[in-house]
Amino acid sequence: MATVEGRPAQYGVTLRQLRELMESRGAEGLAKINALGGPQEICKKLYTSSTDGLSGSRADMQHRREVFGSNLIPPKPPKTFLTLVWEALQDVTLIILEVAAVVSLGLSFYKPSDDPTDIAHLDEEEGHYQWIEGLAILISVIVVVIVTAFNDYTKERQFRGLQSRIEGEHKFAVIRSSEVKQIPISDIVVGDICQIKYGDLLPADGILLQSNDLKIDESSLTGESDHVKKGESFDPMVLSGTHVMEGSGKMLVTAVGVNSQAGIIFTLLGAAVEKQDKEIKQMKKGDEDATLPASGNSHGANHARPDDNHVAPSGDKPAAAETSHKKEKSVLQAKLTKLAIQIGYAGSTIAVLTVIILVINFCVQTFVIQGKVWKATYINNLVKHLIIGVTVLVVAVPEGLPLAVTLSLAYSVKKMMKDNNLVRHLDACETMGNATAICSDKTGTLTTNRMTVVQSYICEKLCKVTPNYRDIPQDVAETMVEGISVNSAFTSRIMPSQDPTGPPMQVGNKTECALLGFVVALGQSYDHVREKHPEESFTRVYTFNSVRKSMSTVIPYKGGYRLYTKGASEIVLKKCAFIYGHEGRLEKFTRDMQERLVRQVIEPMACDGLRTISVAYRDFVPGKAEINQVHIDQEPNWEDEDNIVNNLTCLCVVGIEDPVRPEVPEAIRKCQKAGITVRMVTGDNVNTARSIAVKCGILKPTDDFLILEGKEFNSRIRDANGEVQQHLIDKVWPKLRVLARSSPTDKYTLVKGMIESKAFDTREVVAVTGDGTNDGPALKKADVGFAMGIAGTDVAKEASDIILTDDNFSSIVKAVMWGRNVYDSIAKFLQFQLTVNVVAVIVAFIGACAIQDSPLKAVQMLWVNLIMDTLASLALATEMPTPDLLQRKPYGRTKPLISRTMMKNILGQAIYQLVVIFSLLFAGDKLLNIPSGRGQQLVAEPSQHFTIIFNTFVMMTLFNEINARKIHGQRNVFQGLFTNPIFYSIWIGTALSQVVIIQFGGMAFSTAGLSIDQWLWCLLFGAGTLVWGQLVTTVPTRKIPKRLSWGRGQPDPETIQPGPDYDADLDKKPRAGQILWIRGLTRLQTQVIGGELQERLIPVPYSKTSTDQAIRVVNAFRQGLDSRGSLADAALAEALRKQTALSKRFSHSSSIDYADAARDTLAPHDIDVERLSSHSHTETAV
């Protein structure tokens, strides 16, 4: 018989049995477990130990992966380079160009024999050259396509790399060889014993071996927002992708990866999606109006019961009712969209006019004035005019804009990782630059989260140093040590430091670590106490949550029970009826004593910035009861928490110090200087909060700002019926700086109130930090949610946009700097690009009118387009941020994208370039003493005259790229030039390419070689833009009319389309004008309006087993299909029917609220089917 490390290779339970086991719930699941012999017997069958876990040896792990699978869900393979090339070729204007070039190429070989006299006119050589232009255009198109595809390809690679890094960072606590180890979730195997606790996102399916007060949010599976109680005796099934909202426990892993409930859904989805893909493509080819009804929203919601998301316990999840298909675009997206549409219309109008003028002019000249007869060869002339028109359109439409946005964001995201910001939603990076308010947690963000007990009050003795254990009455000391050791999560421990000189390491909850550190400082061992009272022996645990603000544990004691409680001192002391007085005498704890204790002990501690914690206990005894004990005849009703945790005996009050991080006051000063208001929202005592706020610099002693407690905050903002009123919030939030003793609901209410406030002209852009499970709604509601990478729970991370990997407030300031830098990078690119656009379009248009030919040929314009779009966006989007960015106020939501200063630069440079080009066009031949290139034949050789115009234009463009580096009117445009190697490498590379094109381009680029003198003239005109730039800067901006600033206006709330396949105009028949500029706009709409920026988010970190995503996908998918027609729905319905155990659960889960990972809700019609089957949502990644 085969063996693995001395045990049989055959397990006592099969993969299929375990899969079936996990499909049942509640009593049915319990019966199945008992049929297999109970949890301990299943452990034996899987050759694992419920106390020691697996051995962790490589052979054992490998064997388990082979038999039961690994904890990975294979991602959809990335698109190949050829696929991306094919996608880039789908571009409408590129297709027009390709067709025109092919026609031109064909016509160059077409020699009609009907007019022998005409052929005699044609020089043999000229006939040979006719095909070159057609071929050159084709080659230019190929270059553009390859560059586009390469950019997409590198983006995809970058983000897949980032995804694997994020996934690698998600670790989970398992027991191996009797030790608790943190391992990556992909290493978890069937048979592992996992420790689960409040805030965890479960990485695999399993059955509970032991649990304390465990409540799980299964809304990601069921759509029900009530928390589900779990326990070994009534519902021991826990599933991957669900969130632990309360309590703790130990589970045996029974299914991983594709065999877990989440994995089964992903697998079904993958199959359904492929089938779907084909059907939808077929339907798209059919009548689009039929498949995409304008009222797309009407079908998706039909599955949902009207009360679907309102089952939340009151106040627990304020976000539940908020689920809506509207999401405001980010500031930059809104402004860019508006601008792009304006440019698109202007460009397409001029392009069409250019073609019409060229064609009419040609027809009048040829057929009316010269009186010639129509011949087939004239088609060539018409095609050439069309090519010029299309090329004007190519230059006019700023399709480099999405690329600049994407590159700038992708570059920033990469660099921000070095600054401890792990960006999960790309647009959060840019939104951060506009932030006007930050609501920050106190613990761990503003403070170091290294807590120590520095004061204690025991038996009426206040000690500001650690007391001597022998000085404390023995029974009080023993009870206190036992109370602290037992009544804290066993995952909280003090470990010896890796650095011998450093302080010991704190693992787990930092407040509990401070108390355990106090036990160690007293010279006692909490481990000995824990060995005497293992977790399995606990009768009941009331775990800490934001409502209780305390934790209690019941243990068996002398035939009865003992309850230990610890928590916020003012809350625990209210429940105390007795206290140990001088020398350990038991005294009644009267109201007067309570008030005196608060006044003389707790408030002074809090004013020193200390967090105060009380420890208390209560005994339940079967025999004669002492004064502070309770007599019981039978087991108390542990469900009646209010009566159980009452009439306690206070043991001690301790003051815990959590010092302010040394770098925080400076960071907050920077924020205030940058026009950002920092508010502290904390669960701590109001005095502690005030003290820390003053130390941080949030408050100054002379300020008259508000410091409120949660209770008072609520009384001020709610009306007589207890409803929150916006006008009342508007009276509070502008002056509020510290909100203490606040619940997560208060935090959510404050954030929502600030965002929806109309008290000021501009809306607040709010960033929020959070680490707890209950911070989810506030993190999601905020414009940018920051989760703590170290102390944050998985739930908080899932709801956030950016994860602070060092939990440090000063990293938020770096995020602001990067965000502003993104905005500035886009503005620099716009300033540069619009100058080129304006000049190229006007030159082509006036050239067409005045000399019946464009001075810039099609291939030349394509080259300029390549410099200006792809290369310049790379060069200008990769500038590093400077501290100057924090010297100004946020731009705000209504400030125009193109400021008056920028418009002054654009128009000023355009005037200079147009004057130079038209002077060269109409007088250059005389000035430079060269033959004129005006009025040449269709097939004439390239002239030096037009080559100089082209070369001067490119030189001016290149030097203007240096000007464009500054957008706030700074004079020194060279400052910091050499800190950006990408910029100067691209600049030099472009200049060298231009030399090659001019000297050796010949017929292909319509250029003739230039002499040194002519080159010097071109360089002189080019460098003139730098001198002219200084003159333009001198013109006062105040004199420029405000009308000239573009891209202003408040962004409207719009439904985001997270899918490049969906175009906003699909449900209307596109008009002819729209088709022309579809090239720029489809890209802009998919990349900027939200497709690629908004939803192609860097994958949710825990996507390996995150059922949330799967379900979000399923729901959105169902809605998307419903709105496309019932044909497509059948495939998915079929796939979901197979998943019998979950079919009921899907019947009403049309939208997921709080546990959902993505910030934006998918609207019914905006599903991108291609991305659905990829569990991580990262196909083209940005």
Side-chain angles (χ1 to χ4, degrees), residues 302-322:
N302 288 350
H303 305 305
R305 300 196 318 278
D307 62 345
D308 204 21
N309 282 328
H310 297 277
V311 262
S314 60
D316 200 19
K317 277 188 220 152
E322 289 287 312

Side-chain angles (χ1 to χ4, degrees), residues 1036-1058:
T1037 308
R1038 290 190 305 280
K1039 299 275 166 70
I1040 309 279
K1042 276 196 171 171
R1043 281 198 310 277
L1044 283 177
S1045 52
W1046 269 19
R1048 75 168 53 245
Q1050 190 85 355
D1052 312 313
E1054 260 191 52
T1055 307
I1056 296 295
Q1057 284 90 27

Side-chain angles (χ1 to χ4, degrees), residues 518 575 911 1141:
F518 181 57
K575 297 179 178 176
I911 290 165

Side-chain angles (χ1 to χ4, degrees), residues 190-306:
V190 169
D192 260 323
I193 308 294
C194 289
Q195 285 197 339
I196 58 177
K197 62 182 189 309
Y198 156 87
D200 280 344
L201 173 71
L202 299 181
D205 294 352
I207 53 178
L208 286 175
L209 300 173
Q210 176 265 322
S211 66
N212 304 316
D213 199 21
L214 192 63
K215 286 185 189 155
I216 290 196
D217 176 1
E218 289 189 349
S219 62
S220 54
L221 279 179
T222 60
E224 297 289 351
S225 46
D226 276 339
H227 296 166
V228 182
K229 287 187 89 164
K230 295 282 181 181
E232 311 89 294
S233 55
F234 52 92
D235 186 358
M237 305 302 196
V238 282
L239 302 174
S240 56
T242 57
H243 294 117
V244 182
M245 301 308 280
E246 248 181 67
S248 59
K250 252 188 348 191
M251 77 168 190
L252 163 69
V253 174
T254 51
V256 292
V258 290
N259 298 307
S260 66
Q261 295 302 294
I264 291 168
I265 298 163
F266 283 131
T267 320
L268 289 174
L269 258 182
V273 170
E274 280 169 29
K275 198 168 171 188
Q276 220 62 50
D277 257 348
K278 291 173 190 165
E279 286 172 5
I280 283 170
K281 277 177 186 162
Q282 282 167 2
M283 287 177 353
K284 272 189 175 175
K285 284 175 190 163
D287 181 13
E288 278 176 350
D289 281 356
T291 52
L292 270 172
S295 60
N297 282 17
S298 58
H299 304 293
N302 288 350
H303 305 305
R305 300 196 318 278

